[in-house]
Amino acid sequence: MEEVKHCRDSLVIKTSLVLPPDTNNIGTMFGGKLMAYIDDVAAISAMRHARSHVVTASTDSVDFLHPIHEGNAVCLESFVTYTGRTSMEIIVKVIAEDLVTGDRNLCVISFLTFVAINEDGKPIPVPRLVPETEMEMNLNESAKQRAQVRKKRREDTQFIASTFGVKQPWTEKSEPGLYK
């Protein structure tokens, strides 16, 4: 019998206080710190869905919509939106809350792709996803378009990577910026 799961089965919610070491010189949260949080909650969602180890295959987008300030609470919500045979697309929503005023802002929307793997690091099948709500169905249906964009971006990246070499630019002569 085919195993199926729902989006809600993979829901993860993480809330943290943004402290001074989490911020840059203008008092807003470091993007890299937030991206680590995003990858963390997305990985947990993927593991909940697959009940296996997972690896990040791509971070399709991290769209910063509003700054997150020191002293804000930052709340991340993630869940699986689409599954392939071995892969899963996860959405992460980030909301910042001013804990004094109660003002809340949607700060980031991000899509990531994970692949389920076995102990040998080989891809393994994941349960089929059954979206239930209108929002879940819309995200599931639009995932195919995001997958096409992801595939094209990966092809472009592989082409660009093929033009670069692995020589150390500080030890060998080469054209600036190419470092073949």
Side-chain angles (χ1 to χ4, degrees):
M1 184 164 127
E2 178 187 34
E3 184 179 9
V4 297
K5 291 193 176 176
H6 301 96
C7 297
R8 62 183 146 79
D9 297 330
S10 63
L11 178 64
V12 173
I13 300 171
K14 172 188 178 91
T15 304
S16 293
L17 186 61
V18 179
L19 300 171
D22 304 325
T23 63
N24 58 28
N25 60 323
I26 59 170
T28 59
M29 189 170 191
F30 280 121
K33 176 86 173 191
L34 186 58
M35 289 167 69
Y37 285 173
I38 289 168
D39 192 57
D40 184 47
V41 297
I44 295 169
S45 284
M47 291 177 82
R48 277 189 178 159
H49 183 83
R51 290 296 175 201
S52 70
H53 295 289
V54 299
V55 292
T56 308
S58 71
T59 302
D60 297 347
S61 63
V62 179
D63 296 317
F64 295 95
L65 306 171
H66 193 275
I68 301 169
H69 299 281
E70 179 184 330
N72 284 172
V74 62
C75 180
L76 295 87
E77 297 176 38
S78 65
F79 60 89
V80 175
T81 59
Y82 181 82
T83 55
R85 193 178 72 75
T86 63
S87 65
M88 298 155 279
E89 179 191 75
I90 292 87
I91 188 170
V92 180
K93 174 179 78 170
V94 180
I95 294 173
E97 179 182 357
D98 182 316
L99 294 170
V100 175
T101 67
D103 291 340
R104 296 168 54 93
N105 291 294
L106 178 60
C107 297
V108 175
I109 297 289
S110 183
F111 286 95
L112 300 90
T113 304
F114 284 78
V115 174
I117 58 170
N118 64 16
E119 301 79 29
D120 298 322
K122 303 294 183 199
I124 58 173
V126 298
R128 185 170 60 87
L129 184 71
V130 178
E132 298 176 292
T133 69
E134 185 176 343
M135 177 191 64
E136 292 169 354
M137 287 184 255
N138 288 338
L139 287 168
N140 186 268
E141 288 173 22
S142 61
K144 292 175 183 78
Q145 293 170 318
R146 287 187 297 279
Q148 289 174 341
V149 170
R150 183 181 317 118
K151 181 180 179 187
K152 172 72 169 109
R153 188 184 68 242
R154 185 168 183 83
E155 290 169 358
D156 291 348
T157 300
Q158 287 174 333
F159 173 76
I160 292 167
S162 73
T163 68
F164 287 101
V166 293
K167 293 181 181 179
Q168 298 169 329
W170 56 90
T171 61
E172 301 180 33
K173 292 183 181 180
S174 62
E175 289 184 49
L178 294 180
Y179 307 121
K180 286 189 171 192

